[in-house]
mmCIF file of all heavy atoms in Angstrom:
data_model
loop_
_atom_site.group_PDB
_atom_site.id
_atom_site.type_symbol
_atom_site.label_atom_id
_atom_site.label_comp_id
_atom_site.label_asym_id
_atom_site.label_seq_id
_atom_site.Cartn_x
_atom_site.Cartn_y
_atom_site.Cartn_z
ATOM 1 N N ALA E 1 -11.300 2.680 -15.088
ATOM 2 C CA ALA E 1 -11.254 3.319 -16.401
ATOM 3 C C ALA E 1 -10.859 2.335 -17.494
ATOM 4 O O ALA E 1 -11.392 2.383 -18.612
ATOM 5 C CB ALA E 1 -10.274 4.496 -16.372
ATOM 6 N N ILE E 2 -9.926 1.436 -17.188
ATOM 7 C CA ILE E 2 -9.426 0.528 -18.235
ATOM 8 C C ILE E 2 -10.143 -0.817 -18.232
ATOM 9 O O ILE E 2 -10.110 -1.539 -19.230
ATOM 10 C CB ILE E 2 -7.909 0.302 -18.105
ATOM 11 C CG1 ILE E 2 -7.542 -0.372 -16.782
ATOM 12 C CG2 ILE E 2 -7.166 1.614 -18.280
ATOM 13 C CD1 ILE E 2 -6.069 -0.746 -16.665
ATOM 14 N N LYS E 3 -10.811 -1.153 -17.127
ATOM 15 C CA LYS E 3 -11.489 -2.452 -17.034
ATOM 16 C C LYS E 3 -12.769 -2.281 -16.215
ATOM 17 O O LYS E 3 -12.923 -2.834 -15.130
ATOM 18 C CB LYS E 3 -10.557 -3.459 -16.359
ATOM 19 C CG LYS E 3 -10.889 -4.912 -16.635
ATOM 20 C CD LYS E 3 -10.277 -5.365 -17.942
ATOM 21 C CE LYS E 3 -10.216 -6.892 -18.003
ATOM 22 N NZ LYS E 3 -9.576 -7.345 -19.251
ATOM 23 N N PRO E 4 -13.742 -1.508 -16.723
ATOM 24 C CA PRO E 4 -14.952 -1.223 -15.927
ATOM 25 C C PRO E 4 -15.769 -2.455 -15.585
ATOM 26 O O PRO E 4 -16.535 -2.441 -14.612
ATOM 27 C CB PRO E 4 -15.735 -0.253 -16.824
ATOM 28 C CG PRO E 4 -15.207 -0.475 -18.208
ATOM 29 C CD PRO E 4 -13.765 -0.843 -18.033
ATOM 30 N N HIS E 5 -15.606 -3.550 -16.358
ATOM 31 C CA HIS E 5 -16.352 -4.771 -16.064
ATOM 32 C C HIS E 5 -16.072 -5.278 -14.650
ATOM 33 O O HIS E 5 -16.920 -5.928 -14.030
ATOM 34 C CB HIS E 5 -15.992 -5.884 -17.053
ATOM 35 C CG HIS E 5 -16.386 -5.596 -18.461
ATOM 36 N ND1 HIS E 5 -17.232 -4.576 -18.812
ATOM 37 C CD2 HIS E 5 -16.036 -6.216 -19.625
ATOM 38 C CE1 HIS E 5 -17.396 -4.575 -20.123
ATOM 39 N NE2 HIS E 5 -16.684 -5.550 -20.641
ATOM 40 N N LEU E 6 -14.878 -5.003 -14.132
ATOM 41 C CA LEU E 6 -14.495 -5.575 -12.838
ATOM 42 C C LEU E 6 -15.299 -4.998 -11.685
ATOM 43 O O LEU E 6 -15.363 -5.603 -10.615
ATOM 44 C CB LEU E 6 -13.001 -5.335 -12.579
ATOM 45 C CG LEU E 6 -12.015 -5.950 -13.570
ATOM 46 C CD1 LEU E 6 -10.580 -5.655 -13.133
ATOM 47 C CD2 LEU E 6 -12.228 -7.449 -13.698
ATOM 48 N N PHE E 7 -15.891 -3.836 -11.872
ATOM 49 C CA PHE E 7 -16.540 -3.127 -10.764
ATOM 50 C C PHE E 7 -17.636 -3.963 -10.114
ATOM 51 O O PHE E 7 -17.725 -4.043 -8.892
ATOM 52 C CB PHE E 7 -17.112 -1.804 -11.270
ATOM 53 C CG PHE E 7 -17.558 -0.860 -10.186
ATOM 54 C CD1 PHE E 7 -16.643 -0.041 -9.543
ATOM 55 C CD2 PHE E 7 -18.891 -0.779 -9.823
ATOM 56 C CE1 PHE E 7 -17.042 0.843 -8.550
ATOM 57 C CE2 PHE E 7 -19.307 0.103 -8.835
ATOM 58 C CZ PHE E 7 -18.384 0.905 -8.192
ATOM 59 N N ASP E 8 -18.478 -4.587 -10.914
ATOM 60 C CA ASP E 8 -19.647 -5.304 -10.381
ATOM 61 C C ASP E 8 -19.485 -6.818 -10.371
ATOM 62 O O ASP E 8 -20.429 -7.528 -10.018
ATOM 63 C CB ASP E 8 -20.898 -4.947 -11.185
ATOM 64 C CG ASP E 8 -21.549 -3.655 -10.721
ATOM 65 O OD1 ASP E 8 -21.718 -3.484 -9.503
ATOM 66 O OD2 ASP E 8 -21.878 -2.809 -11.572
ATOM 67 N N ILE E 9 -18.316 -7.329 -10.748
ATOM 68 C CA ILE E 9 -18.148 -8.777 -10.839
ATOM 69 C C ILE E 9 -18.259 -9.429 -9.455
ATOM 70 O O ILE E 9 -17.628 -8.993 -8.491
ATOM 71 C CB ILE E 9 -16.788 -9.124 -11.469
ATOM 72 C CG1 ILE E 9 -16.769 -8.713 -12.939
ATOM 73 C CG2 ILE E 9 -16.475 -10.607 -11.344
ATOM 74 C CD1 ILE E 9 -17.744 -9.477 -13.805
ATOM 75 N N ALA E 10 -19.058 -10.487 -9.383
ATOM 76 C CA ALA E 10 -19.232 -11.236 -8.134
ATOM 77 C C ALA E 10 -18.137 -12.289 -8.037
ATOM 78 O O ALA E 10 -18.312 -13.446 -8.419
ATOM 79 C CB ALA E 10 -20.617 -11.882 -8.090
ATOM 80 N N SER E 11 -16.984 -11.896 -7.526
ATOM 81 C CA SER E 11 -15.839 -12.782 -7.394
ATOM 82 C C SER E 11 -14.936 -12.242 -6.303
ATOM 83 O O SER E 11 -14.531 -11.075 -6.353
ATOM 84 C CB SER E 11 -15.060 -12.879 -8.714
ATOM 85 O OG SER E 11 -13.761 -13.386 -8.511
ATOM 86 N N ILE E 12 -14.615 -13.074 -5.319
ATOM 87 C CA ILE E 12 -13.714 -12.660 -4.251
ATOM 88 C C ILE E 12 -12.363 -12.266 -4.829
ATOM 89 O O ILE E 12 -11.769 -11.250 -4.444
ATOM 90 C CB ILE E 12 -13.547 -13.788 -3.212
ATOM 91 C CG1 ILE E 12 -14.885 -14.103 -2.528
ATOM 92 C CG2 ILE E 12 -12.489 -13.425 -2.183
ATOM 93 C CD1 ILE E 12 -14.839 -15.344 -1.656
ATOM 94 N N GLU E 13 -11.859 -13.058 -5.777
ATOM 95 C CA GLU E 13 -10.528 -12.806 -6.311
ATOM 96 C C GLU E 13 -10.476 -11.531 -7.139
ATOM 97 O O GLU E 13 -9.495 -10.782 -7.079
ATOM 98 C CB GLU E 13 -10.041 -13.999 -7.133
ATOM 99 C CG GLU E 13 -8.611 -13.856 -7.591
ATOM 100 C CD GLU E 13 -7.944 -15.190 -7.905
ATOM 101 O OE1 GLU E 13 -8.246 -16.188 -7.222
ATOM 102 O OE2 GLU E 13 -7.128 -15.217 -8.829
ATOM 103 N N VAL E 14 -11.514 -11.258 -7.907
ATOM 104 C CA VAL E 14 -11.554 -10.022 -8.682
ATOM 105 C C VAL E 14 -11.592 -8.818 -7.748
ATOM 106 O O VAL E 14 -10.890 -7.820 -7.966
ATOM 107 C CB VAL E 14 -12.753 -10.020 -9.644
ATOM 108 C CG1 VAL E 14 -12.999 -8.624 -10.217
ATOM 109 C CG2 VAL E 14 -12.536 -11.024 -10.776
ATOM 110 N N ALA E 15 -12.396 -8.886 -6.688
ATOM 111 C CA ALA E 15 -12.458 -7.783 -5.726
ATOM 112 C C ALA E 15 -11.103 -7.577 -5.059
ATOM 113 O O ALA E 15 -10.660 -6.438 -4.850
ATOM 114 C CB ALA E 15 -13.531 -8.064 -4.677
ATOM 115 N N ALA E 16 -10.431 -8.675 -4.714
ATOM 116 C CA ALA E 16 -9.111 -8.574 -4.090
ATOM 117 C C ALA E 16 -8.096 -7.982 -5.056
ATOM 118 O O ALA E 16 -7.222 -7.198 -4.658
ATOM 119 C CB ALA E 16 -8.656 -9.947 -3.611
ATOM 120 N N PHE E 17 -8.196 -8.345 -6.333
ATOM 121 C CA PHE E 17 -7.269 -7.759 -7.308
ATOM 122 C C PHE E 17 -7.458 -6.255 -7.396
ATOM 123 O O PHE E 17 -6.484 -5.507 -7.538
ATOM 124 C CB PHE E 17 -7.447 -8.393 -8.689
ATOM 125 C CG PHE E 17 -6.523 -7.790 -9.711
ATOM 126 C CD1 PHE E 17 -5.206 -8.201 -9.792
ATOM 127 C CD2 PHE E 17 -6.957 -6.777 -10.556
ATOM 128 C CE1 PHE E 17 -4.328 -7.614 -10.701
ATOM 129 C CE2 PHE E 17 -6.093 -6.188 -11.464
ATOM 130 C CZ PHE E 17 -4.768 -6.613 -11.527
ATOM 131 N N HIS E 18 -8.690 -5.787 -7.324
ATOM 132 C CA HIS E 18 -8.944 -4.342 -7.352
ATOM 133 C C HIS E 18 -8.195 -3.655 -6.213
ATOM 134 O O HIS E 18 -7.592 -2.588 -6.401
ATOM 135 C CB HIS E 18 -10.444 -4.071 -7.250
ATOM 136 C CG HIS E 18 -10.970 -3.132 -8.291
ATOM 137 N ND1 HIS E 18 -10.689 -1.785 -8.298
ATOM 138 C CD2 HIS E 18 -11.771 -3.341 -9.363
ATOM 139 C CE1 HIS E 18 -11.301 -1.206 -9.319
ATOM 140 N NE2 HIS E 18 -11.956 -2.132 -9.992
ATOM 141 N N GLU E 19 -8.239 -4.273 -5.024
ATOM 142 C CA GLU E 19 -7.522 -3.698 -3.883
ATOM 143 C C GLU E 19 -6.013 -3.756 -4.093
ATOM 144 O O GLU E 19 -5.281 -2.820 -3.747
ATOM 145 C CB GLU E 19 -7.911 -4.416 -2.592
ATOM 146 C CG GLU E 19 -9.383 -4.305 -2.222
ATOM 147 C CD GLU E 19 -9.827 -2.869 -1.971
ATOM 148 O OE1 GLU E 19 -8.962 -2.003 -1.725
ATOM 149 O OE2 GLU E 19 -11.039 -2.612 -2.039
ATOM 150 N N SER E 20 -5.523 -4.843 -4.651
ATOM 151 C CA SER E 20 -4.099 -4.959 -4.912
ATOM 152 C C SER E 20 -3.644 -3.919 -5.929
ATOM 153 O O SER E 20 -2.576 -3.304 -5.775
ATOM 154 C CB SER E 20 -3.754 -6.366 -5.414
ATOM 155 O OG SER E 20 -2.368 -6.478 -5.689
ATOM 156 N N PHE E 21 -4.435 -3.704 -6.964
ATOM 157 C CA PHE E 21 -4.079 -2.687 -7.957
ATOM 158 C C PHE E 21 -3.950 -1.328 -7.288
ATOM 159 O O PHE E 21 -3.066 -0.528 -7.628
ATOM 160 C CB PHE E 21 -5.117 -2.641 -9.082
ATOM 161 C CG PHE E 21 -4.694 -1.824 -10.266
ATOM 162 C CD1 PHE E 21 -4.103 -2.429 -11.368
ATOM 163 C CD2 PHE E 21 -4.885 -0.446 -10.291
ATOM 164 C CE1 PHE E 21 -3.700 -1.674 -12.470
ATOM 165 C CE2 PHE E 21 -4.480 0.315 -11.383
ATOM 166 C CZ PHE E 21 -3.889 -0.300 -12.469
ATOM 167 N N GLY E 22 -4.828 -1.043 -6.313
ATOM 168 C CA GLY E 22 -4.722 0.209 -5.578
ATOM 169 C C GLY E 22 -3.402 0.320 -4.840
ATOM 170 O O GLY E 22 -2.752 1.368 -4.843
ATOM 171 N N ASP E 23 -2.972 -0.765 -4.194
ATOM 172 C CA ASP E 23 -1.687 -0.742 -3.489
ATOM 173 C C ASP E 23 -0.520 -0.626 -4.466
ATOM 174 O O ASP E 23 0.456 0.081 -4.206
ATOM 175 C CB ASP E 23 -1.534 -1.991 -2.623
ATOM 176 C CG ASP E 23 -2.358 -1.917 -1.340
ATOM 177 O OD1 ASP E 23 -2.891 -0.836 -1.038
ATOM 178 O OD2 ASP E 23 -2.478 -2.938 -0.645
ATOM 179 N N CYS E 24 -0.620 -1.306 -5.604
ATOM 180 C CA CYS E 24 0.423 -1.172 -6.632
ATOM 181 C C CYS E 24 0.480 0.268 -7.133
ATOM 182 O O CYS E 24 1.569 0.807 -7.402
ATOM 183 C CB CYS E 24 0.147 -2.114 -7.798
ATOM 184 S SG CYS E 24 0.241 -3.871 -7.378
ATOM 185 N N SER E 25 -0.675 0.905 -7.256
ATOM 186 C CA SER E 25 -0.727 2.298 -7.683
ATOM 187 C C SER E 25 0.006 3.193 -6.700
ATOM 188 O O SER E 25 0.752 4.109 -7.099
ATOM 189 C CB SER E 25 -2.187 2.748 -7.820
ATOM 190 O OG SER E 25 -2.282 4.139 -8.088
ATOM 191 N N ALA E 26 -0.179 2.959 -5.403
ATOM 192 C CA ALA E 26 0.508 3.758 -4.388
ATOM 193 C C ALA E 26 2.022 3.576 -4.497
ATOM 194 O O ALA E 26 2.791 4.547 -4.449
ATOM 195 C CB ALA E 26 0.013 3.375 -3.001
ATOM 196 N N ILE E 27 2.458 2.344 -4.636
ATOM 197 C CA ILE E 27 3.896 2.046 -4.725
ATOM 198 C C ILE E 27 4.514 2.715 -5.946
ATOM 199 O O ILE E 27 5.547 3.398 -5.851
ATOM 200 C CB ILE E 27 4.105 0.519 -4.774
ATOM 201 C CG1 ILE E 27 3.753 -0.105 -3.421
ATOM 202 C CG2 ILE E 27 5.540 0.171 -5.178
ATOM 203 C CD1 ILE E 27 3.592 -1.612 -3.461
ATOM 204 N N LEU E 28 3.893 2.563 -7.099
ATOM 205 C CA LEU E 28 4.455 3.096 -8.337
ATOM 206 C C LEU E 28 4.379 4.619 -8.386
ATOM 207 O O LEU E 28 5.291 5.277 -8.906
ATOM 208 C CB LEU E 28 3.726 2.489 -9.530
ATOM 209 C CG LEU E 28 3.893 0.974 -9.699
ATOM 210 C CD1 LEU E 28 2.945 0.444 -10.775
ATOM 211 C CD2 LEU E 28 5.333 0.612 -10.043
ATOM 212 N N SER E 29 3.310 5.195 -7.859
ATOM 213 C CA SER E 29 3.174 6.653 -7.854
ATOM 214 C C SER E 29 4.201 7.302 -6.947
ATOM 215 O O SER E 29 4.773 8.356 -7.276
ATOM 216 C CB SER E 29 1.753 7.048 -7.421
ATOM 217 O OG SER E 29 0.783 6.560 -8.329
ATOM 218 N N ASN E 30 4.466 6.702 -5.788
ATOM 219 C CA ASN E 30 5.478 7.256 -4.885
ATOM 220 C C ASN E 30 6.857 7.274 -5.530
ATOM 221 O O ASN E 30 7.665 8.170 -5.278
ATOM 222 C CB ASN E 30 5.529 6.455 -3.584
ATOM 223 C CG ASN E 30 4.329 6.725 -2.691
ATOM 224 O OD1 ASN E 30 3.602 7.684 -2.889
ATOM 225 N ND2 ASN E 30 4.124 5.863 -1.706
ATOM 226 N N LEU E 31 7.134 6.296 -6.371
ATOM 227 C CA LEU E 31 8.439 6.202 -7.017
ATOM 228 C C LEU E 31 8.649 7.269 -8.092
ATOM 229 O O LEU E 31 9.742 7.346 -8.678
ATOM 230 C CB LEU E 31 8.634 4.814 -7.630
ATOM 231 C CG LEU E 31 8.905 3.685 -6.629
ATOM 232 C CD1 LEU E 31 8.917 2.338 -7.329
ATOM 233 C CD2 LEU E 31 10.220 3.916 -5.890
ATOM 234 N N GLN E 32 7.656 8.109 -8.329
ATOM 235 C CA GLN E 32 7.834 9.189 -9.292
ATOM 236 C C GLN E 32 8.624 10.353 -8.710
ATOM 237 O O GLN E 32 9.071 11.235 -9.454
ATOM 238 C CB GLN E 32 6.474 9.671 -9.799
ATOM 239 C CG GLN E 32 5.670 8.589 -10.507
ATOM 240 C CD GLN E 32 6.528 7.789 -11.474
ATOM 241 O OE1 GLN E 32 7.000 8.313 -12.481
ATOM 242 N NE2 GLN E 32 6.754 6.523 -11.167
ATOM 243 N N LEU E 33 8.808 10.389 -7.397
ATOM 244 C CA LEU E 33 9.584 11.449 -6.758
ATOM 245 C C LEU E 33 11.047 11.023 -6.648
ATOM 246 O O LEU E 33 11.361 9.994 -6.041
ATOM 247 C CB LEU E 33 9.033 11.764 -5.370
ATOM 248 C CG LEU E 33 7.654 12.430 -5.317
ATOM 249 C CD1 LEU E 33 7.285 12.745 -3.872
ATOM 250 C CD2 LEU E 33 7.614 13.697 -6.162
ATOM 251 N N ARG E 34 11.930 11.833 -7.201
ATOM 252 C CA ARG E 34 13.351 11.510 -7.177
ATOM 253 C C ARG E 34 13.875 11.400 -5.749
ATOM 254 O O ARG E 34 14.647 10.484 -5.428
ATOM 255 C CB ARG E 34 14.133 12.582 -7.942
ATOM 256 C CG ARG E 34 15.632 12.318 -8.066
ATOM 257 C CD ARG E 34 16.262 13.319 -9.031
ATOM 258 N NE ARG E 34 17.674 13.034 -9.237
ATOM 259 C CZ ARG E 34 18.662 13.592 -8.533
ATOM 260 N NH1 ARG E 34 18.374 14.470 -7.584
ATOM 261 N NH2 ARG E 34 19.924 13.288 -8.782
ATOM 262 N N SER E 35 13.457 12.313 -4.878
ATOM 263 C CA SER E 35 13.927 12.279 -3.489
ATOM 264 C C SER E 35 13.495 10.999 -2.789
ATOM 265 O O SER E 35 14.236 10.435 -1.971
ATOM 266 C CB SER E 35 13.406 13.497 -2.722
ATOM 267 O OG SER E 35 11.981 13.527 -2.721
ATOM 268 N N PHE E 36 12.302 10.516 -3.132
ATOM 269 C CA PHE E 36 11.819 9.279 -2.521
ATOM 270 C C PHE E 36 12.604 8.079 -3.029
ATOM 271 O O PHE E 36 12.968 7.185 -2.260
ATOM 272 C CB PHE E 36 10.326 9.098 -2.806
ATOM 273 C CG PHE E 36 9.724 7.887 -2.155
ATOM 274 C CD1 PHE E 36 9.467 7.858 -0.805
ATOM 275 C CD2 PHE E 36 9.423 6.759 -2.901
ATOM 276 C CE1 PHE E 36 8.915 6.750 -0.197
ATOM 277 C CE2 PHE E 36 8.875 5.630 -2.313
ATOM 278 C CZ PHE E 36 8.619 5.637 -0.942
ATOM 279 N N ARG E 37 12.884 8.047 -4.320
ATOM 280 C CA ARG E 37 13.689 6.946 -4.858
ATOM 281 C C ARG E 37 15.056 6.900 -4.189
ATOM 282 O O ARG E 37 15.557 5.823 -3.836
ATOM 283 C CB ARG E 37 13.843 7.091 -6.378
ATOM 284 C CG ARG E 37 12.547 6.998 -7.160
ATOM 285 C CD ARG E 37 12.789 6.823 -8.657
ATOM 286 N NE ARG E 37 13.512 7.926 -9.258
ATOM 287 C CZ ARG E 37 12.931 9.018 -9.762
ATOM 288 N NH1 ARG E 37 11.611 9.164 -9.689
ATOM 289 N NH2 ARG E 37 13.666 9.977 -10.324
ATOM 290 N N GLN E 38 15.659 8.054 -4.006
ATOM 291 C CA GLN E 38 16.961 8.111 -3.349
ATOM 292 C C GLN E 38 16.872 7.606 -1.915
ATOM 293 O O GLN E 38 17.746 6.863 -1.453
ATOM 294 C CB GLN E 38 17.500 9.543 -3.380
ATOM 295 C CG GLN E 38 17.866 10.032 -4.773
ATOM 296 C CD GLN E 38 18.209 11.511 -4.806
ATOM 297 O OE1 GLN E 38 17.673 12.300 -4.022
ATOM 298 N NE2 GLN E 38 19.108 11.895 -5.707
ATOM 299 N N ALA E 39 15.800 7.993 -1.213
ATOM 300 C CA ALA E 39 15.638 7.567 0.182
ATOM 301 C C ALA E 39 15.456 6.059 0.280
ATOM 302 O O ALA E 39 16.014 5.408 1.180
ATOM 303 C CB ALA E 39 14.448 8.294 0.809
ATOM 304 N N VAL E 40 14.686 5.479 -0.622
ATOM 305 C CA VAL E 40 14.442 4.039 -0.597
ATOM 306 C C VAL E 40 15.725 3.274 -0.914
ATOM 307 O O VAL E 40 16.038 2.258 -0.275
ATOM 308 C CB VAL E 40 13.309 3.664 -1.570
ATOM 309 C CG1 VAL E 40 13.204 2.152 -1.724
ATOM 310 C CG2 VAL E 40 11.988 4.233 -1.096
ATOM 311 N N LEU E 41 16.480 3.735 -1.890
ATOM 312 C CA LEU E 41 17.743 3.067 -2.218
ATOM 313 C C LEU E 41 18.719 3.128 -1.047
ATOM 314 O O LEU E 41 19.422 2.149 -0.760
ATOM 315 C CB LEU E 41 18.365 3.709 -3.460
ATOM 316 C CG LEU E 41 17.663 3.402 -4.787
ATOM 317 C CD1 LEU E 41 18.248 4.264 -5.900
ATOM 318 C CD2 LEU E 41 17.781 1.926 -5.139
ATOM 319 N N ALA E 42 18.754 4.268 -0.362
ATOM 320 C CA ALA E 42 19.631 4.380 0.807
ATOM 321 C C ALA E 42 19.179 3.455 1.921
ATOM 322 O O ALA E 42 19.998 2.829 2.613
ATOM 323 C CB ALA E 42 19.664 5.829 1.291
ATOM 324 N N GLU E 43 17.877 3.338 2.105
ATOM 325 C CA GLU E 43 17.340 2.491 3.181
ATOM 326 C C GLU E 43 17.578 1.013 2.899
ATOM 327 O O GLU E 43 17.866 0.238 3.817
ATOM 328 C CB GLU E 43 15.841 2.755 3.345
ATOM 329 C CG GLU E 43 15.191 1.972 4.468
ATOM 330 C CD GLU E 43 13.709 2.246 4.596
ATOM 331 O OE1 GLU E 43 13.172 3.088 3.837
ATOM 332 O OE2 GLU E 43 13.078 1.626 5.468
ATOM 333 N N THR E 44 17.458 0.598 1.663
ATOM 334 C CA THR E 44 17.533 -0.830 1.320
ATOM 335 C C THR E 44 18.901 -1.256 0.807
ATOM 336 O O THR E 44 19.129 -2.456 0.610
ATOM 337 C CB THR E 44 16.497 -1.173 0.245
ATOM 338 O OG1 THR E 44 16.807 -0.433 -0.951
ATOM 339 C CG2 THR E 44 15.087 -0.841 0.711
ATOM 340 N N GLY E 45 19.787 -0.315 0.552
ATOM 341 C CA GLY E 45 21.059 -0.668 -0.063
ATOM 342 C C GLY E 45 20.901 -1.215 -1.466
ATOM 343 O O GLY E 45 21.760 -1.956 -1.954
ATOM 344 N N GLY E 46 19.804 -0.855 -2.122
ATOM 345 C CA GLY E 46 19.554 -1.328 -3.479
ATOM 346 C C GLY E 46 18.841 -2.658 -3.560
ATOM 347 O O GLY E 46 18.557 -3.147 -4.652
#
């Protein structure tokens, strides 16, 4: 939606960044749940 040019770009690194953005999306979206944030802080000790 924000960078449609990347969809068809012939570049290994651009394709890999698309996958990384997906993983970053999962990480950041999960942190929207208060119970999950509390669980992660307890698991990692901060």
Side-chain angles (χ1 to χ4, degrees):
I2 62 174
K3 201 84 162 182
H5 295 347
L6 299 182
F7 192 83
D8 277 313
I9 292 295
S11 162
I12 297 171
E13 186 157 325
V14 167
F17 179 81
H18 230 289
E19 298 298 341
S20 179
F21 191 95
D23 283 350
C24 295
S25 173
I27 291 166
L28 296 171
S29 298
N30 287 345
L31 286 173
Q32 299 315 293
L33 291 183
R34 184 171 184 267
S35 60
F36 183 75
R37 296 193 299 271
Q38 292 172 329
V40 171
L41 288 171
E43 182 180 358
T44 63

